[in-house]
Amino acid sequence: MFSFNRKERFVLLGLTAALLIGGAVNLVERYSGSDLPDFHIQKGAVPVPGKSKKTGSIEQHAGPIDLNRASAGQLTRLPGIGPKIARRIVDDRNQRGPFKSVDELTRVKGIGRKTLQRLGSKITVGGQ
């Protein structure tokens, strides 16, 4: 008949065990009563925060964002400001103190004159 060496017998035993375990799992799943009820996803059943009902787009901030009060998440709403630069703005504000003017925003790495012009009237510092 067949003659297997020790490694071949070990592999054959492992494959047989895997086949038997897989078959047992399959039988248990097939013949056991399902305790979980069926559920269906209904689109629009739960409102998504931050989305308007009319357009489905993210709501825009109504007025200019105060650089001295805004969180990193709020700063990312500004054009050209991603999470990294927003984090730098907050870190800079925490280390050097509040911004005295909008122009001081250029002290943050990654923000130059072009970005400052793009932000325009979308940012403010305090009562400006």
Side-chain angles (χ1 to χ4, degrees):
M1 196 154 160
F2 294 110
S3 174
F4 296 110
N5 64 28
R6 184 177 177 146
K7 283 185 179 180
E8 291 171 337
R9 280 184 276 176
F10 184 72
V11 169
L12 189 58
L13 180 64
L15 290 174
T16 304
L19 181 65
L20 289 173
I21 291 171
V25 168
N26 187 20
L27 284 173
V28 168
E29 287 179 353
R30 182 177 292 173
Y31 293 110
S32 70
S34 178
D35 295 336
L36 298 175
D38 288 339
F39 67 94
H40 302 282
I41 297 173
Q42 183 178 359
K43 194 171 186 176
V46 177
V48 178
K51 296 222 176 197
S52 72
K53 291 181 181 179
K54 292 179 188 174
T55 62
S57 64
I58 296 175
E59 294 175 7
Q60 296 297 316
H61 187 70
I65 293 178
D66 186 348
L67 295 174
N68 292 326
R69 293 186 181 146
S71 66
Q74 292 168 327
L75 292 168
T76 58
R77 295 180 191 159
L78 295 168
I81 305 296
K84 287 183 181 179
I85 294 180
R87 186 78 250 156
R88 286 184 201 149
I89 293 170
V90 172
D91 290 344
D92 183 274
R93 182 179 69 206
N94 292 337
Q95 290 174 357
R96 296 184 179 183
F99 295 97
K100 294 179 181 122
S101 71
V102 172
D103 292 331
E104 284 188 1
L105 190 58
T106 57
R107 72 186 189 196
V108 177
K109 182 181 174 187
I111 298 180
R113 287 279 161 207
K114 288 183 181 180
T115 304
L116 197 59
Q117 287 174 346
R118 189 175 344 136
L119 296 174
S121 63
K122 294 178 176 93
I123 56 172
T124 186
V125 287
Q128 267 191 347

